[in-house]
Amino acid sequence: MSTEEQRLAPLREKIDSLDAQILDLLTQRAKAAQEVGHVKGGFSSPVFRPERERQVVTRLQEINKGPLLPDGIAAIWREVMSACRALEARQTIAYLGPVGTFSEQAAQTYFGHSIAGLPCASLDEVFKAVEKGAAQFGVVPVENSSEGAISRTLDLLLDSSMRISGEVVLPIRHHLLTKSGNLDGVTTVCAHAQALAQCQQWLSVHAPQLKRQAVSSNAEAARLAASDPTLAAIAGDPAQEAYGLQAVAAQIQDDPHNRTRFVVVGNYACQPTGKDQTSLVLSVNNQPGAVHRLLAPLAKHGVSMNRFESRPARKGTWEYHFYIDIAGHADDEKVVKALDELKGVAAFYKNLGSYPHSI
């Protein structure tokens, strides 16, 4: 046995022993979670409570002494809670498909991998799946740091009776993918319209000869490229792995800090955690100073606004809906006061939900 092996052997034995202890503790945790499920079952309580899981992770991050990083703590316990939750009832989560999309990755990041994924052909189908009870929750993109709001998601949030119960923000890394790993014989690059826009400068410089074709999702582009050697796809790691493609070039997004925010939609109303956000849809009559009067209650009561987005009201007139995210839960004292006043000046008011900030 080499000197290196001699030094590693006791460390590996220690790790094996610790792994056995961790497994024993996880088993005890799973049994305790099952007991919680039995108690909740008698009261028809929901299996998944986002605010409770957020509190668990936050507390562990606060007492963590290292060397594990906070992101590592969140990732580990997300999977632990997901596996324990599945013992009570495996949650079905709808997302924009097919398999390999960033929406699927967002669903797994938020709920863990112990879920039943339901890929849908469109954002509309995601909402319908949850509304009809085919899924407990849906995960949909709502805005991108480079290209702005996802208009169809905003429209669906306005029209749907469902509420937002969570959010997750993913770094978006796009790769140029083909079957062969090169562009020999490739004439067209496919991707979702947002991805094409996010990579337009790179494509113009490095692959100006390729025709650009928008498809329903990046994963659909990867699926097409896997069966057609004349096609390249812009997609991320999940789609590359799912469809067995090779990278011609990695991380071709124009913005190295490109991110997409996803929201979780369903029928669950989150309780306050102390680190929450509330999403609203508002409109005002077309009068001078109307928008200023609309936002004045927030400033008056010290409520911060995190996001302000306008969207045509689709009534044939020049009217707009304003999508606003504010800091705090709708049950927080100062938010209650601000919203009560805001309702008095808004021509239209809808609370899309209060939910914990993404970790």
Side-chain angles (χ1 to χ4, degrees):
M1 181 182 296
S2 67
T3 303
E4 180 183 0
E5 288 297 320
Q6 288 177 337
R7 295 178 63 185
L8 288 176
L11 294 174
R12 287 170 175 163
E13 290 178 4
K14 182 177 181 180
I15 288 174
D16 289 345
S17 175
L18 290 170
D19 285 342
Q21 295 176 51
I22 291 171
L23 178 58
D24 181 63
L25 290 171
L26 287 175
T27 300
Q28 294 180 48
R29 189 194 194 283
K31 290 178 179 179
Q34 285 181 311
E35 292 177 11
V36 169
H38 294 323
V39 173
K40 289 198 303 183
F43 295 91
S44 300
S45 298
V47 173
F48 179 63
R49 293 186 56 200
E51 71 276 24
R52 167 58 182 159
E53 296 201 0
R54 168 61 185 263
Q55 289 168 344
V56 169
V57 172
T58 299
R59 184 183 71 85
L60 291 170
Q61 289 176 328
E62 290 173 350
I63 66 175
N64 173 39
K65 298 179 181 179
L68 288 176
L69 298 176
D71 287 350
I73 296 292
I76 291 167
W77 258 266
R78 183 68 67 202
E79 293 301 331
V80 169
M81 292 186 291
S82 180
C84 291
R85 196 189 318 128
L87 296 174
E88 184 178 347
R90 188 176 293 269
Q91 301 285 281
T92 299
I93 311 300
Y95 62 87
L96 179 63
V99 170
T101 59
F102 287 114
S103 293
E104 181 188 34
Q105 184 181 351
Q108 292 171 344
T109 299
Y110 189 82
F111 290 94
H113 285 71
S114 297
I115 58 173
L118 179 61
C120 299
S122 67
L123 294 172
D124 297 60
E125 291 301 317
V126 173
F127 276 76
K128 289 178 182 177
V130 182
E131 288 168 347
K132 293 179 179 179
Q136 284 75 50
F137 294 94
V139 176
V140 292
V142 70
E143 63 175 329
N144 175 263
S145 60
S146 299
E147 295 301 312
I150 312 299
S151 298
R152 187 56 190 158
T153 298
L154 297 185
D155 292 341
L156 290 166
L157 287 169
L158 174 65
D159 296 335
S160 175
S161 62
M162 293 190 300
R163 63 180 66 240
I164 300 173
S165 57
E167 66 172 357
V168 57
V169 178
L170 288 185
I172 303 299
R173 301 182 178 93
H174 292 307
H175 312 316
L176 184 64
L177 307 171
T178 64
K179 288 184 66 175
S180 62
N182 58 58
L183 293 179
D184 295 344
V186 175
T187 61
T188 304
V189 56
C190 299
H192 188 276
Q194 284 261 345
L196 289 172
Q198 292 164 21
C199 302
Q200 60 178 330
Q201 293 181 21
W202 190 96
L203 290 171
S204 296
V205 172
H206 297 94
Q209 75 280 10
L210 297 182
K211 178 184 175 182
R212 303 175 194 181
Q213 179 179 333
V215 294
S216 60
S217 71
N218 292 346
E220 174 63 12
R223 188 188 69 81
L224 293 171
S227 60
D228 187 342
T230 68
L231 297 180
I234 295 175
D237 295 330
Q240 179 180 358
E241 182 178 349
Y243 298 99
L245 297 175
Q246 304 297 316
V248 177
Q251 300 196 33
I252 67 170
Q253 65 276 2
D254 296 328
D255 179 5
H257 305 295
N258 189 23
R259 281 168 169 72
T260 294
R261 176 178 172 238
F262 298 80
V263 292
V264 179
V265 295
N267 297 305
Y268 182 75
C270 293
Q271 299 301 307
T273 69
K275 297 181 179 180
D276 303 299
Q277 179 167 274
T278 298
S279 294
L280 309 169
V281 185
L282 310 167
S283 69
V284 292
N285 294 320
N286 189 10
Q287 299 173 348
V291 175
H292 178 270
R293 288 193 296 274
L294 181 70
L295 302 179
L298 301 179
K300 176 181 176 181
H301 294 283
V303 177
S304 298
M305 184 170 61
N306 302 329
R307 177 171 171 260
F308 184 93
E309 188 85 34
S310 64
R311 177 90 177 122
R314 298 175 297 159
K315 295 181 179 178
T317 58
W318 296 107
E319 297 180 9
Y320 291 84
H321 284 121
F322 301 104
Y323 292 77
I324 299 175
D325 291 342
I326 61 174
H329 192 283
D331 290 341
D332 294 346
E333 183 178 358
K334 66 179 182 180
V335 178
V336 169
K337 294 178 180 179
L339 295 186
D340 283 345
E341 290 190 24
L342 193 153
K343 292 174 188 176
V345 296
F348 173 84
Y349 171 93
K350 182 178 182 181
N351 185 340
L352 297 177
S354 296
Y355 47 93
H357 272 299
S358 63
I359 297 178

